[in-house]
Amino acid sequence: MNNLAQKEFYTIVAGSAILAANAGFINVVTLAGAFSVTVSHVTGNVSRIAMAVAQGDLTSFSLVL
């Protein structure tokens, strides 16, 4: 892979990681905040699982799975 293609690849990967982290952050804020609703289906479930694991709530964790 030439140098330009390698830089472009790493830029796309870094941008994708930032967007994914931002989506998870927004889901957790809406879940933990006043709304208690997920913004999207798939990442909302992942956020619910992460919050249940962080709180040690195995009942909620098993219900989401």
Side-chain angles (χ1 to χ4, degrees):
M1 199 166 18
N2 64 21
N3 197 20
L4 179 63
Q6 188 174 10
K7 284 183 183 179
E8 184 178 7
F9 173 76
Y10 288 126
T11 302
I12 291 171
V13 169
S16 302
I18 291 169
L19 287 174
N22 189 31
F25 173 76
I26 290 175
N27 271 320
V28 170
V29 166
T30 58
L31 276 172
F35 302 116
S36 298
V37 188
T38 59
V39 177
S40 65
H41 174 67
V42 175
T43 57
N45 287 337
V46 172
S47 298
R48 282 183 196 256
I49 290 171
M51 287 174 59
V53 169
Q55 295 171 352
D57 185 9
L58 296 178
T59 305
S60 294
F61 175 73
S62 63
L63 288 175
V64 174
L65 286 180

